[in-house]
Amino acid sequence: MSVSEQQKAEMLEAFSVFDRDGDGKISTKQIGNVMRALGLSPSEADLSQLITDAEKTYKDGNINFDALLKIVGPKMNTAMTEDQVIEAFRAFDKDGNGQIPAHELRHYMANIGEKLNEEELEDLKREMSQKEKNGLVNYPEMIRYMMETIKSK
């Protein structure tokens, strides 16, 4: 799976931040920092495996941007599953009842992760207003609706 031009530009920007001496290389130990700068959250086990594999291939312990693309690029396209999204929202569910304030859900959806365009945001607001009860939204139900909408596009 290839990365988009926008993703490639984001990766180059992150790579450049860690290429402090400007020689076009970063240490394999910095792969995790680059991934986190890109908004990825690799587990310690995954990161350890990526670094070990990179060090086998790049014996001097340094990688260039093309190598980073090969290593991190496939991770850029890993979409979250419905259950993973629900689990992520559980952190905002202070009462543990499957509901969060509608205004908070709107804020998270508009500002975190993949940015929604105006039309998508309006669709989300319209759907949420129908499902909202006492200012609260059942987020597992809302996320299922959104995931179905995404799949149908």
Side-chain angles (χ1 to χ4, degrees), residues 89 92-94 100-109 128:
F89 273 90
F92 306 112
D93 182 2
K94 294 172 183 77
I100 59 175
H103 70 277
E104 285 183 25
L105 182 59
R106 276 192 292 273
H107 172 77
Y108 301 138
M109 295 308 298
M128 285 177 58

Side-chain angles (χ1 to χ4, degrees), residues 36 64 84 127:
R36 285 186 277 280
N64 62 20
Q84 288 171 318
E127 184 64 24

Side-chain angles (χ1 to χ4, degrees), residues 28 40 47 66 80 93-94 96 99 101:
T28 54
L40 301 173
L47 188 54
D66 288 336
M80 291 179 76
D93 182 2
K94 294 172 183 77
Q99 298 182 325

Side-chain angles (χ1 to χ4, degrees), residues 3 14 16 18 21 28 32 40 60 72 74 101 104 120 122 137 145 152:
V3 297
S16 298
F18 294 98
D21 60 4
T28 54
L40 301 173
D60 69 350
V72 178
E104 285 183 25
E120 292 168 325
E122 285 306 313
V137 174
Y145 165 79
S152 67

Side-chain angles (χ1 to χ4, degrees), residues 28-41:
T28 54
K29 304 279 188 231
Q30 293 176 308
I31 293 171
N33 294 334
V34 172
M35 291 178 76
R36 285 186 277 280
L38 292 166
L40 301 173
S41 301

